[in-house]
Amino acid sequence: MMFSRRLSSKIFLVAVVLVVVSALTLVLAPKAITSAQSGDTSDWQTIAEQRGLTEADLRAAVMTYTPSGMMDEYVMFASSGQAGQVLAIGLPSMRLLRLISVFTPESWQGYGYGADNNSVLKQGYIDGQPILWGDTHHPALSETAGDYDGQWLFIGDKSSGRVAVIDLRDFETKQIVHNPAFLNDHGGTFVTPNTEYIVEGGQYGLPMGGEYAPISDYQTSYSGMITFWKFNRDTGRIDMDQSFAMQLPPYWQDLCDSGKSVSEGWIFCNSFNAEMATGGIEEGNPPFEAGVSKGAVDYLHIINIKAAEAVFKAGGAVDVNGFMVIPLATSIQNNLLYLAPEPRSPHGADVAPHGDFIMVGGKLDPHVSVYSFQKIQDAIAAGTSETDTFGVPVLALESVLETQVELGLGPLHTVFDDQGYAYTSLFLDSAVARWSIGAEGYRPQDGWKLINKTPVQYNVGHLAAAEGDTASPDGRFLVALNKWSVDRFLSTGPLLPQNLQLIDISRPGDQTQILYDMPITGAEPHYAQIIKADKLHAWDVYPEVGWNPTTQSVDPNAVTQGTEGVTRDGNNVIVRMTVVRSHMTPEHVEIQKGDHVTWTITSVERARDATHGFALPFYNINLSIEPGESINFEFDATRSGVFSFYCTEFCSALHLEMMGYLMIKPD
Ligand code: RUQ
Ligand code: CUA
């Protein structure tokens, strides 16, 4: 806080100076023009003038320019869509800091190219089927008391319904889990306020357990699903045995959020396709996009997770493919699930910072609908006789709705700041709506109303605000994650990057300003969370020499200097190697075709950033060995020949000499 306040006052000072100087520039315009004409590019006014920069541009520059060596104040963790990764981006500079491989092999980090981390990718295989990519959507930072704690990051794979755990001490993926009862997700990941559970909502209705059922039996044989993954902070892993799921009606559950403060213990998911349309345009049925939006309402799902946990612990779940699932009928009997009508084609369900309101957008409705948690509780207590087709109680809309605010076309997702404003992305308008939350604790003085719209380029999906999903958002910065960039950047052919736009939301009223456009290549970041940088405590180097990042402990196999070498037991060859600038020991590895090779490499480096690589041609092995790290890999020597292995990181003046020969004799 101190740091940020100091920095913002600095920024303010510089901004004041800039404004004064620019005013002077206007007064002394002839002089400035003269210097521009004389081509004097030594002063910044001339440069600004020559580049056609406005005063607002200069303000944006001052707010984002980060000279070499100055650190960013925030880190944004953004999904990378169908690239199956996570991006770490510094704010306000919008500099890309790190790519974290999650579901997709990535050679720079040696992820999936031979090292122990192959075993993490393998956890994500389904029934032995290798799945070597993912469609990452919604990253979630771990929370303590509703505030990001900077320890863990979770992210879901929409395509195959998997969830990954990333350790923020080394920014690496440690675990991938899959609920064998279901095969896709979307409404997740997000965490309960103390990260007891990582919640993964499903998306498209499916027969449970990956079974076959004809689509004509959709209403009887297909389900929705939400999975509650129990997280164990001590082990840093999801505990499969303590995790469970709930069967839901076969509506398409969409985006979910966790209750906090007053609503802690509850989960809210919007859904669409209450029509239970099954498509089949080729058979003369309405196409999905029409069938799914035919009805006037969809359903907000209101789930009592505390009660669901009690039912699971009391044995109320059934085994589906080895995973415990609470059947829909059990949920109804035990009052675990309620529905409330939503305007047509809703999208997003975002809980306000105090946990008292749930904001739901509507792709085809210009309003955001605000549900009151208190009213939901009152309506549940009062009871309802209305149910959906499956017998799930439906609360009357007027009994739970606080208000609806008209924002514009295509409202999707809502995030929050520290001034009592909410921000909703308007997909069709290509704008961000700032609106006031007209309730106690927010901006009662302004009422519920639209304040302004900031045009964005173009077709915004999610928004991310600084500490925006916590119980106490920071405000200041908002990022619009735009799906299209069209004309914002130089052309790269028909495939264009997405555009992340940084927006200044520090000033009240209609003073919002786009500060920076960041092209993102490598697939579409769907969602992001932004954490104060000083909450992250990443390691500079691995804590001890011989560290295995997969187990986060010293590897008993780690090699110490002086014990390197090649040993043989029948056809099994063991290679024990150390690396340190600027050599690999041993440099000669001589084996026989047909050998099975188990190779351990330990970096004995302790200097920060002294990373070595290990590339072994033909055998598809590439490793990144960070200071202190120890890596094991295995392969069968199926081809004889001489293979020059070498370090892939330019680590020292004698980096090119950091190599050796693997000599495989023919049999
Ligand atoms: S959803 S653009 Cu995959 Cu997060 Cu709304
Ligand atoms: Cu080690 Cu290059």
Side-chain angles (χ1 to χ4, degrees):
M1 237 15 229
M2 273 307 291
F3 174 67
S4 67
R5 224 177 268 142
R6 235 184 315 157
L7 188 80
S8 47
S9 60
K10 247 188 229 162
I11 288 174
F12 179 74
L13 252 182
V14 178
V16 167
V17 171
L18 273 183
V19 169
V20 169
V21 174
S22 344
L24 273 179
T25 310
L26 286 181
V27 174
L28 306 171
K31 180 179 175 267
I33 287 167
T34 316
S35 81
Q37 278 168 347
S38 71
D40 175 7
T41 53
S42 60
D43 69 297
W44 63 265
Q45 296 108 304
T46 309
I47 298 168
E49 204 167 301
Q50 286 177 342
R51 298 193 67 211
L53 301 181
T54 65
E55 238 172 74
D57 295 334
L58 295 176
R59 181 178 184 274
V62 175
M63 283 193 77
T64 54
Y65 177 64
T66 307
S68 182
M70 184 192 273
M71 299 294 156
D72 278 303
E73 281 185 80
Y74 291 93
V75 175
M76 173 165 77
F77 291 98
S79 73
S80 77
Q82 65 273 39
Q85 299 153 336
V86 168
L87 307 170
I89 296 164
L91 261 63
S93 74
M94 301 300 275
R95 296 180 295 195
L96 178 61
L97 304 175
R98 175 83 193 253
L99 179 156
I100 305 169
S101 346
V102 184
F103 296 108
T104 309
E106 198 283 311
S107 54
W108 165 55
Q109 294 164 75
Y111 187 71
Y113 292 93
D116 309 63
N117 59 33
N118 274 18
S119 66
V120 178
L121 274 170
K122 275 189 191 140
Q123 293 168 18
Y125 292 8
I126 299 178
D127 297 337
Q129 168 68 34
I131 302 168
L132 294 173
W133 74 287
D135 187 12
T136 51
H137 271 240
H138 306 104
L141 286 154
S142 58
E143 294 181 11
T144 300
D147 199 12
Y148 303 148
D149 56 36
Q151 295 182 353
W152 307 94
L153 182 73
F154 312 101
I155 192 154
D157 160 30
K158 169 172 168 162
S159 72
S160 292
R162 299 175 297 166
V163 167
V165 176
I166 296 160
D167 190 334
L168 292 177
R169 287 173 298 182
D170 62 357
F171 283 47
E172 292 196 356
T173 304
K174 303 301 173 188
Q175 186 183 25
I176 298 176
V177 295
H178 167 65
N179 172 354
F182 216 66
L183 203 57
N184 65 56
D185 71 25
H186 186 235
T189 54
F190 62 99
V191 298
T192 52
N194 285 295
T195 321
E196 299 93 342
Y197 288 99
I198 303 150
V199 186
E200 179 191 22
Q203 174 111 84
Y204 304 119
L206 286 178
M208 271 209 295
E211 300 301 318
Y212 169 79
I215 193 95
S216 53
D217 294 352
Y218 187 81
Q219 297 200 19
T220 51
S221 301
Y222 285 54
S223 300
M225 182 147 304
I226 187 165
T227 307
F228 304 108
W229 295 104
K230 180 78 183 169
F231 188 63
N232 181 333
R233 278 182 190 263
D234 296 333
T235 60
R237 299 289 182 276
I238 285 167
D239 185 344
M240 295 290 279
D241 295 335
Q242 298 292 315
S243 302
F244 66 98
M246 273 171 73
Q247 180 189 22
L248 296 175
Y251 313 134
W252 293 353
Q253 288 79 29
D254 192 25
L255 257 291
C256 308
D257 201 359
S258 177
K260 52 172 81 97
S261 309
V262 290
S263 55
E264 182 166 355
W266 293 79
I267 303 290
F268 310 93
C269 302
N270 80 285
S271 71
F272 57 117
N273 201 12
E275 297 82 354
M276 293 184 279
T278 53
I281 188 172
E282 59 286 348
E283 285 135 36
N285 298 324
F288 270 118
E289 73 271 24
V292 161
S293 319
K294 212 164 66 198
V297 293
D298 285 289
Y299 290 120
L300 176 68
H301 291 48
I302 302 159
I303 297 168
N304 185 336
I305 182 175
K306 289 249 164 77
E309 182 186 52
V311 167
F312 162 63
K313 288 195 169 149
V318 300
D319 187 323
V320 180
N321 283 356
F323 199 81
M324 300 311 284
V325 180
I326 300 175
L328 183 57
T330 307
S331 294
I332 296 169
Q333 265 163 28
N334 291 278
N335 305 316
L336 307 185
L337 173 66
Y338 297 89
L339 302 173
E342 295 171 313
R344 184 144 71 116
S345 285
H347 195 58
D350 296 288
V351 176
H354 306 158
D356 40 5
F357 300 110
I358 302 109
M359 321 308 198
V360 174
K363 290 174 295 200
L364 302 179
D365 185 293
H367 297 89
V368 64
S369 299
V370 180
Y371 295 79
S372 152
F373 180 70
Q374 187 54 52
K375 289 185 178 177
I376 289 172
Q377 291 305 300
D378 294 346
I380 289 173
T384 171
S385 54
E386 199 150 320
T387 66
D388 75 343
T389 323
F390 302 94
V392 183
V394 179
L395 310 173
L397 181 60
E398 56 285 3
S399 71
V400 294
L401 195 67
E402 180 71 20
T403 186
Q404 290 186 307
V405 186
E406 186 168 342
L407 298 180
L409 299 180
L412 299 182
H413 299 285
T414 301
V415 293
F416 306 92
D417 72 5
D418 59 340
Q419 302 184 63
Y421 292 121
Y423 301 82
T424 301
S425 49
L426 303 175
F427 180 82
L428 298 175
D429 268 354
S430 278
V432 174
R434 171 187 256 183
W435 52 286
S436 55
I437 304 176
E440 218 38 65
Y442 300 97
R443 297 186 75 83
Q445 71 277 16
D446 289 353
W448 298 91
K449 71 164 195 282
L450 174 67
I451 302 293
N452 80 330
K453 292 191 205 179
T454 309
V456 292
Q457 292 74 33
Y458 300 88
N459 296 92
V460 56
H462 275 277
L463 302 172
E467 301 263 325
D469 291 331
T470 70
S472 58
D474 277 13
R476 304 184 55 201
F477 296 115
L478 180 85
V479 174
L481 293 95
N482 305 314
K483 311 282 189 191
W484 294 47
S485 65
V486 193
D487 56 4
R488 293 293 104 170
F489 307 110
L490 291 174
S491 175
T492 53
L495 182 61
L496 301 181
Q498 278 77 34
N499 186 14
L500 304 195
Q501 284 181 304
L502 180 69
I503 302 174
D504 169 25
I505 54 166
S506 60
R507 298 174 292 181
D510 64 0
Q511 306 172 84
T512 50
Q513 187 191 349
I514 303 255
L515 300 176
Y516 197 86
D517 280 30
M518 179 194 195
I520 278 287
T521 182
E524 179 194 339
H526 284 264
Y527 188 48
Q529 285 191 331
I530 301 172
I531 184 174
K532 253 335 262 302
D534 59 16
K535 286 183 174 177
L536 296 167
H537 302 285
W539 289 327
D540 288 344
V541 296
Y542 279 111
E544 290 177 60
V545 168
W547 199 261
N548 183 335
T550 305
T551 60
Q552 294 289 45
S553 59
V554 172
D555 193 321
N557 264 339
V559 185
T560 51
Q561 277 175 308
T563 68
E564 302 94 340
V566 183
T567 54
R568 165 181 297 280
D569 175 12
N571 274 348
N572 289 315
V573 171
I574 292 178
V575 182
R576 297 175 56 74
M577 174 177 270
T578 59
V579 293
V580 68
R581 282 158 291 164
S582 299
H583 53 266
M584 299 171 153
T585 313
E587 294 179 336
H588 291 175
V589 176
E590 196 156 354
I591 62 170
Q592 200 75 42
K593 184 179 173 194
D595 285 344
H596 179 76
V597 185
T598 307
W599 196 315
T600 301
I601 304 180
T602 303
S603 167
V604 298
E605 293 281 1
R606 297 313 281 152
R608 192 174 183 195
D609 205 9
T611 295
H612 300 288
F614 179 87
L616 181 58
F618 178 76
Y619 285 101
N620 198 36
I621 284 166
N622 185 47
L623 313 174
S624 172
I625 317 162
E626 279 92 74
E629 184 172 358
S630 191
I631 296 183
N632 308 292
F633 62 96
E634 292 181 44
F635 63 96
D636 289 312
T638 52
R639 185 193 197 282
S640 58
V642 175
F643 304 86
S644 48
F645 56 79
Y646 68 99
C647 171
T648 49
E649 285 271 336
F650 212 111
C651 54
S652 66
L654 299 175
H655 150 80
L656 295 179
E657 288 79 354
M658 199 166 170
M659 63 83 65
Y661 286 108
L662 169 67
M663 292 162 280
I664 307 181
K665 292 189 215 150
D667 43 6

